Amino acid sequence: METKELIRYFLPEEIVDNFEVVDIKEIGCEVESELNIYLDEKFIYPQEHAAEDLESKGFLKAVKISDFPIRDKKVLLIIRRRKWMNILTGKIYIRFFDLKHKGTNYTKEFAAFLKENLR
């Protein structure tokens, strides 16, 4: 099994499809540790602007989203979305992803799990 396939068991599908893991850091001590998973948007040309001549211009400020714990470690996904610039007009485009539950900093799946357990 490849690492890419294994990651599908730990991260939401939309994140696996559109972002790549660039780093993983464990923060804290054994009792209260946190796993920070750094993800950057993949270099995939935005389909909605396929007719335009776009160039990647780096990333936006990272967003932090909490997800299911792994091995008793709090998981924080640190996600950077890519900026695209139209070479002819200079207009900047950003792809939007529905990664977190409305009004929270939790992934949709984690928020649904927490909501269900509170009932």
Side-chain angles (χ1 to χ4, degrees), residues 5 8 14 18 25 28 31 46 49 53-54 62 69 71-72 79 100-101 106 112:
E5 293 172 31
R8 289 197 176 275
E14 187 173 17
N18 295 292
K25 292 181 181 174
V31 177
H49 300 288
D53 194 12
L54 299 182
R71 298 280 185 193
D72 294 327
I79 300 172
K100 55 185 187 172
H101 185 72
Y106 299 127

Side-chain angles (χ1 to χ4, degrees), residues 76-92:
L76 196 60
L77 306 176
I78 301 167
I79 300 172
R80 295 190 314 167
R81 290 183 300 146
R82 194 174 287 279
K83 292 188 292 188
W84 297 90
M85 184 183 79
N86 182 311
I87 294 173
L88 299 175
T89 65
K91 186 173 180 179
I92 298 290

Side-chain angles (χ1 to χ4, degrees), residues 4-116:
K4 204 176 199 180
E5 293 172 31
L6 184 61
I7 288 173
R8 289 197 176 275
Y9 289 102
F10 293 98
L11 297 177
E13 185 177 346
E14 187 173 17
I15 289 177
V16 173
D17 291 343
N18 295 292
F19 296 86
E20 61 185 340
V21 176
V22 293
D23 198 8
I24 299 174
K25 292 181 181 174
E26 188 174 347
I27 310 295
C29 60
E30 287 181 29
V31 177
E32 260 189 55
S33 62
E34 177 178 289
L35 198 58
N36 290 347
I37 303 174
Y38 296 84
L39 300 126
D40 285 349
E41 184 179 339
K42 292 179 180 176
F43 191 90
I44 300 172
Y45 206 81
Q47 288 182 341
E48 59 273 19
H49 300 288
E52 300 175 50
D53 194 12
L54 299 182
E55 180 178 72
S56 177
K57 286 294 186 181
F59 297 94
L60 297 173
K61 183 178 178 185
V63 174
K64 297 177 182 180
I65 304 174
S66 294
D67 197 22
F68 288 96
I70 298 175
R71 298 280 185 193
D72 294 327
K73 292 172 180 49
K74 178 182 173 183
V75 172
L76 196 60
L77 306 176
I78 301 167
I79 300 172
R80 295 190 314 167
R81 290 183 300 146
R82 194 174 287 279
K83 292 188 292 188
W84 297 90
M85 184 183 79
N86 182 311
I87 294 173
L88 299 175
T89 65
K91 186 173 180 179
I92 298 290
Y93 296 103
I94 301 162
R95 293 176 62 196
F96 290 95
F97 300 96
D98 188 21
L99 303 176
K100 55 185 187 172
H101 185 72
K102 185 177 180 182
T104 72
N105 282 326
Y106 299 127
T107 59
K108 292 183 292 184
E109 296 87 348
F110 189 40
F113 172 80
L114 293 173
K115 186 177 180 181
E116 185 65 32

